[in-house]
Amino acid sequence: MRIAAGLIFAGAVSLCASGLAWSQTPAAKSAAAPQAAPAPAPAPAATAAKPTCANPNALGIARVVEIDTTGGPGFGFEHFKQLDFLRDHEVVLTFDDGPWLLNTPSVLKTLADECTTGIFFPIGKHATYYPEILKEVLAAGHTVGSHTWSHATLTNKKLTEDQRKEEIEKGFSAVKWALGGVSPAPFFRFPALQHPPEMVTYLGTRNVAMFSCDLDSFDFKARNAQQVIDVTMKKLDKLGKGIILMHDFHKHTAEALPELMHRLKAGGYKVVKMIPKAPVQTLPQYDDEVLKDAKLPTVSSRPVSSVVQTISE
C-alpha cells in the first residue's frame, strides 16, 4: 500500500524497479443398486464466473490459468524467477490496497467495460471498512487474495515472528469475513514487496502463492493519470509481458485505467486471468480475532426500502 500521510496506514515504497471449476461429472447411477452420494466438490476460492462480454472491441481475457499453490510458488520476476509462464505480450493486472471508496468502483467499471480481469490484493482492515465494495470485486469475476491485515512491513525487526504471522493470517480472515464467509484465493503480496525469508518459508507451509511483480506502475508516486500510463507502458514495451502492479486505492490509477486499457489493446497485449486450484484455508484463531475486533462495522443486510422511506417530498 502506498498511502499518503494522515491515513492510519504507513505508506510504503515499492522495490519493484522494472517492472472455478464447473465441470463436475455426476457419477453414473447403477440400475442394480443405489450408489453412495459423491463427495462434495471443494468450495471455490474467491473467484466468480466470467460475465458475458457485450463489447466486441474489448480487451477481454485471452487465457485463464489455474494455479496449484502447494508449497507456496512465487510469481513476478522482481523476486521470483522460477515460473516464467506468461507468453509474449501477455499481462496480469493486479491491484493492491483496496477496497476503497470511489476508486475501487471506478476500477471495476473500467475492467467491466473492457470485459477483462485482475487480481485484487486487499488490506484486511480496508476489507472490514468496505465489505460491500469487496463483494462487488468478487461478484464481477475477479480473483481476490490478501495483502496483510494492516499493511505492516514484515521485514520490520520490531515485529516478532508471531506478529508477522498474525498480519498474514488475520488479513486472509478479514477478507473472508468481508466476502461473507467465502474464502479468498491463497494469493498473497507482501507490503512494499519486502519478503522476509522466514515468512516466505511460512507461506510455503500454508500453501499460499506469493506475488511480486514484473513491473511497477509507480502509481503511488504519480502526479496525474498520464504519468501512470506513460510509466507503465514504457516498462511494458521494454519487457514485452509481465505482472503489472497497480493500486485501486489511488485516484490517479482509477483515472488512468481506461486509457491504459486502450493502450494495451492497441499494443497487442492480452490479459491472463489467474485462479487458484483451491481456496485458502483460514485459521479459526484469526477468524475469531476478526469477529472480535471492536472496529468492525455492523453491516445491515436489509433492503433499502425497509431502511429508508420517503415521508414527504
Side-chain angles (χ1 to χ4, degrees):
M1 161 183 168
R2 284 79 177 170
I3 301 181
L7 292 178
I8 58 174
F9 308 116
V13 177
S14 170
L15 296 187
C16 196
S18 57
L20 60 153
W22 296 283
S23 57
Q24 180 182 345
T25 304
K29 294 182 179 180
S30 169
Q35 299 293 313
T47 60
K50 176 183 175 182
T52 302
C53 184
N55 178 5
N57 299 314
L59 180 60
I61 300 170
R63 188 160 65 106
V64 180
V65 297
E66 182 182 82
I67 308 302
D68 183 347
T69 62
T70 302
F75 298 94
F77 266 42
E78 186 64 20
H79 294 89
F80 307 109
K81 304 184 187 300
Q82 296 89 349
L83 298 172
D84 185 9
F85 74 98
L86 289 178
R87 302 166 186 166
D88 183 48
H89 274 64
E90 284 189 338
V91 298
V92 176
L93 306 175
T94 69
F95 301 91
D96 290 6
D97 296 355
W100 206 250
L101 292 171
L102 301 180
N103 300 331
T104 302
S106 178
V107 167
L108 291 177
K109 182 182 183 306
T110 299
L111 295 176
D113 289 345
E114 290 295 332
C115 303
T116 195
T117 191
I119 305 174
F120 287 75
F121 293 97
I123 294 169
K125 281 188 176 182
H126 286 186
T128 66
Y129 297 161
Y130 306 114
E132 296 310 313
I133 296 178
L134 195 59
K135 287 185 178 76
E136 290 177 11
V137 175
L138 178 62
H142 305 294
T143 301
V144 181
S146 181
H147 194 40
T148 70
W149 163 247
S150 72
H151 204 275
T153 302
L154 300 188
T155 53
N156 186 341
K157 294 182 179 180
K158 293 182 180 180
L159 296 178
T160 66
E161 185 168 341
D162 285 343
Q163 287 172 323
R164 294 186 179 98
K165 291 178 181 179
E166 180 178 28
E167 276 288 324
I168 293 170
E169 299 293 355
K170 194 172 178 181
F172 276 115
S173 291
V175 171
K176 179 181 177 180
W177 177 89
L179 292 176
V182 178
S183 291
F187 291 177
F188 179 81
R189 180 172 272 153
F190 284 95
L193 300 182
Q194 297 289 316
H195 298 71
E198 298 83 0
M199 292 301 99
V200 170
T201 300
Y202 175 71
L203 287 170
T205 68
R206 293 282 287 118
N207 297 323
V208 171
M210 292 160 280
F211 281 74
S212 179
C213 68
D214 294 306
L215 63 101
D216 194 336
S217 66
F218 283 114
D219 52 357
F220 64 98
K221 289 184 176 181
R223 296 185 299 272
N224 52 53
Q226 190 61 49
Q227 190 173 2
V228 177
I229 297 166
D230 292 343
V231 169
T232 302
M233 292 308 303
K234 181 178 180 180
K235 292 179 178 179
L236 184 56
D237 287 341
K238 180 179 179 180
L239 292 174
K241 63 179 182 178
I243 296 172
I244 304 173
L245 171 56
M246 295 176 281
H247 298 79
D248 56 312
F249 176 83
H250 289 295
K251 178 182 178 182
H252 292 327
T253 306
E255 293 173 337
L257 205 57
E259 178 60 24
L260 182 58
M261 297 298 98
H262 296 158
R263 292 278 296 273
L264 290 175
K265 176 75 172 179
Y269 291 99
K270 299 178 180 180
V271 174
V272 172
K273 179 184 178 85
M274 299 179 70
I275 63 172
K277 186 175 181 179
V280 72
Q281 300 296 315
T282 60
L283 301 181
Q285 171 189 346
Y286 299 99
D287 291 344
D288 292 342
E289 284 191 21
V290 170
L291 290 174
K292 293 176 183 177
D293 194 301
K295 296 183 178 64
L296 284 181
T298 299
V299 180
S300 174
S301 60
R302 294 161 57 196
V304 173
S305 60
S306 73
V307 178
V308 182
Q309 297 185 29
T310 300
I311 59 173
S312 177
E313 65 179 9

